[in-house]
């Protein structure tokens, strides 16, 4: 606190008037073209835990939030599972076409969101 008080007093005592703004610098180099982006698709499967089961299927998907299809692992480039917004390690679940099986000792509490993210790189849906 003492340093701040002394520092502020010093700045007020020795500060001169502010000068005018300098000239604008040169424009930087052009960035790389965006045409080199890799086409990808992001699909999300949403459901909510019922607090009891470990097996979720296409029938449990909620259409208004995303897809209701659980894809086979070989159909996606990457698959991520989020439970209550937290990314889960692969040892906690198993995905097969049409189903998600939770391999944890405990199941998520009732109402907790379960989201599977399917990332498809250079693939069309």
């Amino acid at each position: 606190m003492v340093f701040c008080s002394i520092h502020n007093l010093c700045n007020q005592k020795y500060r001169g008037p502010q000068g005018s703004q300098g000239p604008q610098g040169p424009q930087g180099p052009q960035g790389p073209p965006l045409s080199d982006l890799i086409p990808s698709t992001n699909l999300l499967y949403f459901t909510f835990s019922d607090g009891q089961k470990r097996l979720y299927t296409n029938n449990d998907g909620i259409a208004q939030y995303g897809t209701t299809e659980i894809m086979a692992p070989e159909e996606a480039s990457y698959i991520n599972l989020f439970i209550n917004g937290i990314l889960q390690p692969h040892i906690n679940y198993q995905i097969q076409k049409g189903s998600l099986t939770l391999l944890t000792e405990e199941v998520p509490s009732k109402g907790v969101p379960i989201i599977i993210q399917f990332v498809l790189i250079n693939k069309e849906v």
Side-chain angles (χ1 to χ4, degrees):
M1 289 291 219
V2 173
F3 172 74
C4 292
S5 298
I6 292 171
H7 180 68
N8 289 338
L9 287 174
C10 292
N11 278 343
Q12 291 172 3
K13 185 175 180 180
Y14 298 110
R15 183 182 302 168
Q18 183 169 342
S20 61
Q21 184 172 347
Q24 184 173 352
Q27 183 171 348
Q30 179 71 32
L34 294 178
S35 62
D36 291 343
L37 293 177
I38 299 172
S40 63
T41 303
N42 185 38
L43 301 173
L44 299 173
Y45 167 92
F46 286 85
T47 192
F48 292 96
S49 173
D50 67 356
Q52 296 179 358
K53 64 184 180 178
R54 296 179 186 286
L55 177 65
Y56 292 88
T57 67
N58 291 343
N59 293 334
D60 297 308
I62 302 174
Q64 63 258 34
Y65 292 123
T67 182
T68 58
E69 180 185 352
I70 300 175
M71 299 175 69
E74 59 271 9
E75 295 176 324
S77 303
Y78 293 98
I79 299 176
N80 294 312
L81 173 66
F82 298 88
I83 297 179
N84 207 18
I86 299 174
L87 180 62
Q88 300 298 304
H90 290 223
I91 61 169
N92 285 357
Y93 63 94
Q94 180 179 8
I95 292 181
Q96 296 175 340
K97 185 168 183 70
S99 70
L100 162 68
T101 304
L102 301 178
L103 304 175
T104 55
E105 287 185 28
E106 296 181 15
V107 296
S109 300
K110 184 176 182 176
V112 166
I114 298 172
I115 302 168
I116 308 172
Q117 177 188 38
F118 300 96
V119 179
L120 289 69
I121 299 176
N122 278 331
K123 296 181 181 181
E124 299 204 15
V125 181

